[in-house]
Amino acid sequence: VENMLQTLNIIAPDKTRQKRIQCKIILAEIFGNYFIDYSQETSDDRPELFVDVCNQMHNKDNFKEGADAMVRISNKTYAHLCRCIKKYYNKTMSEYINDIRLNYAVNLLIQTNMSITDIAYECGFSSQNWFNLRFKQKYKTSPHAMRTNPDRKLL
């Protein structure tokens, strides 16, 4: 979120549409990562190691690598991490990692001129079709539509 706020600060004052879009991205990130799942957990419930691993998964290299990175970082088994993610976030590991990837993808779609195929691979998806499917499921629009009409509501 800090990087997103810095991006907001460097947008020219006369670019109100771009500033509004960046604000929506920031709010989607905040609500998606902090408030939507808050009802499922309290920070006192989650083991410190698990919190640290989840925070490290927001690093691009880690979310691109996916579950293997989470296992490597935590030094726990895949099954153990799956149980923790289900318990504390009520998601599967794939859903959890894909949510991180998709939040990053929205930012790239709006802030860069990268092709949608390049964005899919940059975010760690194995194919553009899989990226498009996951994107449509989460945001109820296609990546192309998001790029051409970024004022559409994200939540």
Side-chain angles (χ1 to χ4, degrees):
V1 175
E2 184 178 330
N3 290 340
M4 292 176 175
L5 290 170
Q6 289 171 350
T7 301
L8 181 63
N9 284 334
I10 62 172
I11 297 172
D14 62 329
K15 304 281 186 181
T16 56
R17 182 171 182 256
Q18 193 175 357
K19 280 189 176 275
R20 189 172 58 246
I21 292 166
Q22 185 64 20
C23 286
K24 287 180 180 181
I25 292 169
I26 293 168
L27 288 173
E29 179 75 14
I30 290 170
F31 286 122
N33 288 336
Y34 300 104
F35 294 112
I36 291 174
D37 295 323
Y38 187 72
S39 63
Q40 301 295 325
E41 67 189 27
T42 62
S43 58
D44 296 334
D45 291 302
R46 296 180 300 160
E48 189 174 326
L49 173 71
F50 182 70
V51 172
D52 184 50
V53 169
C54 289
N55 288 336
Q56 288 184 54
M57 285 307 294
H58 287 269
N59 175 299
K60 183 173 80 168
D61 292 333
N62 293 335
F63 68 71
K64 280 180 73 172
E65 186 180 345
D68 290 341
M70 202 167 196
V71 169
R72 179 179 38 77
I73 293 165
S74 68
N75 205 22
K76 301 292 181 187
T77 66
Y78 177 83
H80 177 78
L81 291 170
C82 287
R83 285 190 300 273
C84 287
I85 291 170
K86 188 56 126 175
K87 178 179 179 180
Y88 297 114
Y89 294 107
N90 199 27
K91 296 179 182 182
T92 66
M93 184 179 292
S94 293
E95 290 170 331
Y96 176 77
I97 293 169
N98 283 337
D99 281 351
I100 295 170
R101 291 172 172 169
L102 291 170
N103 287 335
Y104 184 67
V106 168
N107 200 10
L108 292 177
L109 281 168
I110 294 172
Q111 299 296 326
T112 73
N113 291 323
M114 291 174 67
S115 72
I116 292 172
T117 301
D118 289 342
I119 289 172
Y121 291 114
E122 179 70 15
C123 294
F125 288 93
S126 58
S127 74
Q128 184 178 348
N129 288 339
W130 186 246
F131 169 68
N132 289 340
L133 178 67
R134 294 287 152 236
F135 195 95
K136 286 177 186 176
Q137 285 178 335
K138 181 170 182 177
Y139 295 113
K140 310 297 186 236
T141 189
S142 70
H144 178 72
M146 175 69 73
R147 173 169 273 165
T148 57
N149 186 13
D151 285 334
R152 138 177 217 102
K153 293 187 179 189
L154 294 176
L155 297 175

